[in-house]
Short mmCIF file of all heavy atoms in Angstrom, two decimals:
data_model
loop_
_atom_site.label_atom_id
_atom_site.label_comp_id
_atom_site.label_asym_id
_atom_site.label_seq_id
_atom_site.Cartn_x
_atom_site.Cartn_y
_atom_site.Cartn_z
N THR A 322 -10.54 -8.17 -5.15
CA THR A 322 -10.63 -8.12 -6.63
C THR A 322 -9.25 -7.99 -7.16
O THR A 322 -8.25 -7.77 -6.46
CB THR A 322 -11.50 -7.07 -7.18
OG1 THR A 322 -10.82 -5.74 -6.88
CG2 THR A 322 -12.89 -7.02 -6.44
N GLU A 323 -9.03 -8.25 -8.51
CA GLU A 323 -7.85 -8.16 -9.05
C GLU A 323 -7.17 -6.75 -8.95
O GLU A 323 -5.98 -6.51 -8.64
CB GLU A 323 -7.88 -8.46 -10.52
CG GLU A 323 -6.58 -8.70 -11.35
CD GLU A 323 -5.88 -9.97 -10.73
OE1 GLU A 323 -6.46 -10.86 -10.36
OE2 GLU A 323 -4.58 -9.80 -10.74
N ALA A 324 -8.02 -5.68 -9.12
CA ALA A 324 -7.52 -4.23 -8.96
C ALA A 324 -7.18 -3.94 -7.56
O ALA A 324 -6.13 -3.37 -7.27
CB ALA A 324 -8.67 -3.41 -9.40
N GLU A 325 -8.04 -4.50 -6.51
CA GLU A 325 -7.62 -4.32 -5.17
C GLU A 325 -6.33 -5.04 -4.82
O GLU A 325 -5.39 -4.51 -4.02
CB GLU A 325 -8.72 -4.87 -4.18
CG GLU A 325 -9.97 -3.95 -4.45
CD GLU A 325 -11.16 -4.63 -3.77
OE1 GLU A 325 -11.19 -5.92 -3.52
OE2 GLU A 325 -12.21 -3.92 -3.36
N ARG A 326 -6.14 -6.26 -5.25
CA ARG A 326 -4.88 -7.04 -5.12
C ARG A 326 -3.74 -6.27 -5.47
O ARG A 326 -2.59 -6.16 -4.96
CB ARG A 326 -5.02 -8.45 -5.75
CG ARG A 326 -3.87 -9.29 -5.57
CD ARG A 326 -4.06 -10.57 -6.30
NE ARG A 326 -5.16 -11.25 -5.94
CZ ARG A 326 -5.93 -12.07 -6.74
NH1 ARG A 326 -5.58 -12.34 -7.96
NH2 ARG A 326 -7.06 -12.62 -6.21
N ALA A 327 -3.82 -5.60 -6.72
CA ALA A 327 -2.72 -5.01 -7.37
C ALA A 327 -2.28 -3.79 -6.44
O ALA A 327 -1.18 -3.44 -6.32
CB ALA A 327 -3.11 -4.47 -8.76
N GLN A 328 -3.32 -3.11 -5.96
CA GLN A 328 -3.00 -1.99 -4.97
C GLN A 328 -2.32 -2.47 -3.75
O GLN A 328 -1.28 -1.90 -3.36
CB GLN A 328 -4.29 -1.40 -4.59
CG GLN A 328 -4.93 -0.49 -5.62
CD GLN A 328 -6.08 0.32 -4.95
OE1 GLN A 328 -6.05 0.67 -3.78
NE2 GLN A 328 -7.15 0.57 -5.74
N LEU A 329 -2.66 -3.52 -3.24
CA LEU A 329 -2.12 -4.10 -2.07
C LEU A 329 -0.62 -4.51 -2.29
O LEU A 329 0.32 -4.26 -1.58
CB LEU A 329 -2.88 -5.32 -1.42
CG LEU A 329 -2.57 -5.83 -0.13
CD1 LEU A 329 -2.63 -4.69 0.92
CD2 LEU A 329 -3.44 -6.91 0.34
N LEU A 330 -0.45 -5.28 -3.39
CA LEU A 330 0.87 -5.59 -3.79
C LEU A 330 1.87 -4.44 -4.05
O LEU A 330 2.99 -4.42 -3.60
CB LEU A 330 0.96 -6.53 -5.03
CG LEU A 330 0.25 -7.86 -4.81
CD1 LEU A 330 0.05 -8.63 -6.26
CD2 LEU A 330 1.17 -8.76 -3.99
N ARG A 331 1.29 -3.37 -4.64
CA ARG A 331 2.06 -2.17 -4.95
C ARG A 331 2.51 -1.52 -3.57
O ARG A 331 3.64 -0.96 -3.44
CB ARG A 331 1.44 -1.16 -5.83
CG ARG A 331 1.46 -1.70 -7.24
CD ARG A 331 1.02 -0.64 -8.28
NE ARG A 331 -0.03 0.17 -8.08
CZ ARG A 331 -1.36 -0.13 -8.41
NH1 ARG A 331 -1.56 -1.19 -9.08
NH2 ARG A 331 -2.27 0.77 -8.12
N ALA A 332 1.56 -1.49 -2.65
CA ALA A 332 1.81 -0.78 -1.32
C ALA A 332 2.81 -1.52 -0.55
O ALA A 332 3.76 -1.01 0.08
CB ALA A 332 0.52 -0.62 -0.56
N LEU A 333 2.73 -2.84 -0.47
CA LEU A 333 3.58 -3.62 0.38
C LEU A 333 4.89 -3.99 -0.31
O LEU A 333 5.88 -4.34 0.39
CB LEU A 333 2.79 -4.81 0.87
CG LEU A 333 1.64 -4.54 1.77
CD1 LEU A 333 0.90 -5.69 2.11
CD2 LEU A 333 2.01 -3.75 3.04
N ALA A 334 5.01 -3.89 -1.57
CA ALA A 334 6.27 -4.22 -2.28
C ALA A 334 7.18 -3.03 -2.25
O ALA A 334 8.44 -3.20 -2.47
CB ALA A 334 5.95 -4.58 -3.73
N SER A 335 6.80 -1.91 -1.79
CA SER A 335 7.56 -0.70 -1.81
C SER A 335 8.00 -0.44 -0.32
O SER A 335 7.23 -0.27 0.56
CB SER A 335 6.83 0.60 -2.30
OG SER A 335 7.46 1.71 -1.93
N ASP A 336 9.33 -0.48 -0.06
CA ASP A 336 9.75 -0.15 1.28
C ASP A 336 9.27 1.24 1.75
O ASP A 336 9.06 1.32 2.91
CB ASP A 336 11.36 -0.26 1.36
CG ASP A 336 11.70 -1.64 1.23
OD1 ASP A 336 11.05 -2.67 1.47
OD2 ASP A 336 12.99 -1.88 0.93
N ALA A 337 9.47 2.19 0.79
CA ALA A 337 9.01 3.60 1.20
C ALA A 337 7.51 3.65 1.59
O ALA A 337 7.21 4.31 2.54
CB ALA A 337 9.29 4.57 0.12
N ILE A 338 6.70 2.99 0.81
CA ILE A 338 5.22 3.04 1.04
C ILE A 338 4.91 2.27 2.33
O ILE A 338 4.18 2.77 3.21
CB ILE A 338 4.41 2.53 -0.10
CG1 ILE A 338 4.56 3.48 -1.37
CG2 ILE A 338 2.94 2.33 0.18
CD1 ILE A 338 3.96 2.92 -2.65
N ARG A 339 5.39 1.11 2.35
CA ARG A 339 5.19 0.28 3.63
C ARG A 339 5.68 0.90 4.88
O ARG A 339 5.01 0.93 5.83
CB ARG A 339 5.88 -1.02 3.29
CG ARG A 339 5.57 -2.07 4.37
CD ARG A 339 6.45 -3.30 4.02
NE ARG A 339 6.21 -4.44 4.97
CZ ARG A 339 6.07 -5.65 4.63
NH1 ARG A 339 6.31 -6.08 3.35
NH2 ARG A 339 5.82 -6.60 5.50
N GLY A 340 6.87 1.37 4.82
CA GLY A 340 7.38 2.12 6.00
C GLY A 340 6.56 3.37 6.46
O GLY A 340 6.35 3.53 7.54
N SER A 341 6.18 4.11 5.46
CA SER A 341 5.30 5.26 5.71
C SER A 341 4.04 4.88 6.35
O SER A 341 3.48 5.44 7.33
CB SER A 341 5.06 6.12 4.49
OG SER A 341 6.34 6.73 4.11
N LEU A 342 3.38 3.86 5.81
CA LEU A 342 2.17 3.29 6.39
C LEU A 342 2.36 2.74 7.87
O LEU A 342 1.50 2.98 8.68
CB LEU A 342 1.51 2.24 5.43
CG LEU A 342 0.96 2.74 4.13
CD1 LEU A 342 0.59 1.54 3.28
CD2 LEU A 342 -0.15 3.66 4.33
N GLU A 343 3.46 2.06 8.08
CA GLU A 343 3.70 1.59 9.37
C GLU A 343 3.74 2.73 10.41
O GLU A 343 3.29 2.73 11.51
CB GLU A 343 4.98 0.71 9.44
CG GLU A 343 4.79 -0.67 8.76
CD GLU A 343 6.00 -1.52 8.73
OE1 GLU A 343 7.19 -0.90 8.62
OE2 GLU A 343 5.88 -2.74 8.76
N ARG A 344 4.58 3.79 10.02
CA ARG A 344 4.78 4.91 10.84
C ARG A 344 3.44 5.64 11.02
O ARG A 344 3.06 6.10 12.11
CB ARG A 344 5.83 5.94 10.33
CG ARG A 344 7.23 5.19 10.45
CD ARG A 344 8.37 6.24 10.13
NE ARG A 344 8.30 6.54 8.60
CZ ARG A 344 8.83 5.78 7.64
NH1 ARG A 344 9.47 4.61 8.00
NH2 ARG A 344 8.91 6.12 6.35
N HIS A 345 2.67 5.83 9.99
CA HIS A 345 1.41 6.65 10.06
C HIS A 345 0.43 5.94 10.99
O HIS A 345 -0.24 6.51 11.73
CB HIS A 345 0.85 6.77 8.60
CG HIS A 345 -0.51 7.37 8.62
ND1 HIS A 345 -0.66 8.76 8.81
CD2 HIS A 345 -1.71 6.84 8.36
CE1 HIS A 345 -1.91 9.03 8.71
NE2 HIS A 345 -2.61 7.91 8.43
N PHE A 346 0.30 4.58 10.78
CA PHE A 346 -0.62 3.83 11.68
C PHE A 346 -0.07 3.34 12.99
O PHE A 346 -0.81 2.59 13.67
CB PHE A 346 -1.18 2.71 10.83
CG PHE A 346 -2.20 3.12 9.69
CD1 PHE A 346 -1.86 3.02 8.36
CD2 PHE A 346 -3.42 3.65 10.02
CE1 PHE A 346 -2.68 3.45 7.46
CE2 PHE A 346 -4.25 4.16 9.04
CZ PHE A 346 -3.93 4.05 7.69
N ASN A 347 1.23 3.44 13.15
CA ASN A 347 1.89 2.95 14.36
C ASN A 347 1.69 1.49 14.49
O ASN A 347 1.28 1.05 15.49
CB ASN A 347 1.44 3.72 15.58
CG ASN A 347 2.40 3.42 16.81
OD1 ASN A 347 3.57 3.12 16.65
ND2 ASN A 347 1.80 3.41 17.97
N VAL A 348 2.00 0.75 13.44
CA VAL A 348 1.85 -0.79 13.42
C VAL A 348 3.12 -1.28 12.70
O VAL A 348 3.87 -0.65 12.06
CB VAL A 348 0.63 -1.16 12.63
CG1 VAL A 348 -0.66 -0.75 13.42
CG2 VAL A 348 0.56 -0.68 11.27
N ARG A 349 3.20 -2.64 12.79
CA ARG A 349 4.18 -3.36 12.01
C ARG A 349 3.39 -4.21 11.13
O ARG A 349 2.51 -4.94 11.45
CB ARG A 349 4.95 -4.27 12.97
CG ARG A 349 6.03 -5.20 12.28
CD ARG A 349 7.10 -4.39 11.67
NE ARG A 349 8.26 -5.19 11.39
CZ ARG A 349 8.71 -5.45 10.12
NH1 ARG A 349 8.14 -4.73 9.16
NH2 ARG A 349 9.63 -6.34 9.84
N LEU A 350 3.64 -4.16 9.83
CA LEU A 350 2.91 -4.95 8.81
C LEU A 350 3.58 -6.27 8.46
O LEU A 350 4.85 -6.34 8.47
CB LEU A 350 2.85 -4.11 7.44
CG LEU A 350 2.04 -2.82 7.54
CD1 LEU A 350 2.21 -2.00 6.28
CD2 LEU A 350 0.54 -3.08 7.75
N ALA A 351 2.87 -7.21 8.22
CA ALA A 351 3.40 -8.49 7.82
C ALA A 351 2.42 -9.00 6.62
O ALA A 351 1.28 -8.76 6.70
CB ALA A 351 3.24 -9.52 8.86
N PHE A 352 3.05 -9.70 5.71
CA PHE A 352 2.47 -9.95 4.42
C PHE A 352 2.78 -11.42 4.03
O PHE A 352 3.81 -11.85 3.89
CB PHE A 352 2.90 -9.00 3.40
CG PHE A 352 2.15 -8.94 2.09
CD1 PHE A 352 0.69 -8.75 1.96
CD2 PHE A 352 2.80 -9.08 0.88
CE1 PHE A 352 0.11 -8.80 0.82
CE2 PHE A 352 2.17 -9.01 -0.34
CZ PHE A 352 0.88 -8.89 -0.31
N GLN A 353 1.72 -12.21 3.77
CA GLN A 353 1.93 -13.58 3.37
C GLN A 353 1.71 -13.90 1.98
O GLN A 353 2.41 -14.56 1.31
CB GLN A 353 1.04 -14.58 4.19
CG GLN A 353 1.53 -14.86 5.49
CD GLN A 353 0.81 -15.93 6.15
OE1 GLN A 353 -0.11 -16.41 5.73
NE2 GLN A 353 1.30 -16.38 7.36
N ASN A 354 0.61 -13.30 1.39
CA ASN A 354 0.41 -13.49 -0.05
C ASN A 354 -0.44 -12.34 -0.58
O ASN A 354 -0.52 -11.22 0.13
CB ASN A 354 -0.28 -14.82 -0.39
CG ASN A 354 -1.70 -15.06 0.28
OD1 ASN A 354 -2.41 -14.04 0.52
ND2 ASN A 354 -2.12 -16.15 0.54
N CYS A 355 -1.08 -12.51 -1.71
CA CYS A 355 -1.73 -11.37 -2.40
C CYS A 355 -2.91 -10.74 -1.78
O CYS A 355 -3.38 -9.73 -2.19
CB CYS A 355 -2.15 -11.80 -3.82
SG CYS A 355 -3.27 -13.27 -3.83
N HIS A 356 -3.34 -11.30 -0.64
CA HIS A 356 -4.35 -10.74 0.20
C HIS A 356 -4.23 -10.70 1.60
O HIS A 356 -4.81 -9.92 2.40
CB HIS A 356 -5.71 -11.45 -0.15
CG HIS A 356 -5.80 -12.81 0.44
ND1 HIS A 356 -5.20 -13.78 -0.17
CD2 HIS A 356 -6.43 -13.15 1.54
CE1 HIS A 356 -5.38 -14.93 0.55
NE2 HIS A 356 -6.28 -14.52 1.68
N ARG A 357 -3.40 -11.53 2.15
CA ARG A 357 -3.23 -11.74 3.66
C ARG A 357 -2.21 -10.86 4.13
O ARG A 357 -1.05 -11.17 4.28
CB ARG A 357 -3.08 -13.23 4.00
CG ARG A 357 -3.23 -13.35 5.44
CD ARG A 357 -3.35 -14.87 5.86
NE ARG A 357 -3.75 -14.87 7.37
CZ ARG A 357 -3.35 -15.76 8.14
NH1 ARG A 357 -2.61 -16.77 7.70
NH2 ARG A 357 -3.69 -15.68 9.41
N VAL A 358 -2.71 -9.63 4.54
CA VAL A 358 -1.77 -8.79 5.28
C VAL A 358 -2.28 -8.72 6.64
O VAL A 358 -3.47 -8.84 6.94
CB VAL A 358 -1.87 -7.33 4.64
CG1 VAL A 358 -3.23 -6.79 4.68
CG2 VAL A 358 -0.81 -6.38 5.23
N ALA A 359 -1.25 -8.38 7.66
CA ALA A 359 -1.68 -8.40 9.01
C ALA A 359 -1.01 -7.22 9.62
O ALA A 359 0.03 -6.75 9.15
CB ALA A 359 -1.17 -9.68 9.74
N VAL A 360 -1.59 -6.71 10.67
CA VAL A 360 -1.01 -5.60 11.39
C VAL A 360 -0.71 -6.11 12.83
O VAL A 360 -1.54 -6.68 13.41
CB VAL A 360 -1.87 -4.34 11.38
CG1 VAL A 360 -2.00 -3.69 9.97
CG2 VAL A 360 -3.23 -4.45 12.02
N PHE A 361 0.41 -5.73 13.27
CA PHE A 361 0.94 -6.12 14.64
C PHE A 361 1.23 -4.87 15.42
O PHE A 361 1.60 -3.83 14.76
CB PHE A 361 2.13 -6.99 14.59
CG PHE A 361 1.91 -8.44 14.05
CD1 PHE A 361 1.76 -8.69 12.77
CD2 PHE A 361 1.83 -9.45 15.00
CE1 PHE A 361 1.62 -9.97 12.27
CE2 PHE A 361 1.57 -10.77 14.51
CZ PHE A 361 1.46 -10.98 13.14
#
Side-chain angles (χ1 to χ4, degrees):
T322 67
E323 192 66 32
E325 292 168 339
R326 180 182 305 148
Q328 286 187 33
L329 192 57
L330 290 171
R331 289 197 311 271
L333 296 172
S335 164
D336 288 340
I338 294 172
R339 184 182 185 142
S341 289
L342 290 171
E343 287 179 330
R344 288 185 293 279
H345 176 74
F346 288 111
N347 191 30
V348 296
R349 177 72 164 117
L350 296 170
F352 190 51
Q353 278 190 357
N354 62 25
C355 59
H356 73 282
R357 191 159 188 217
V358 63
V360 295
F361 288 82

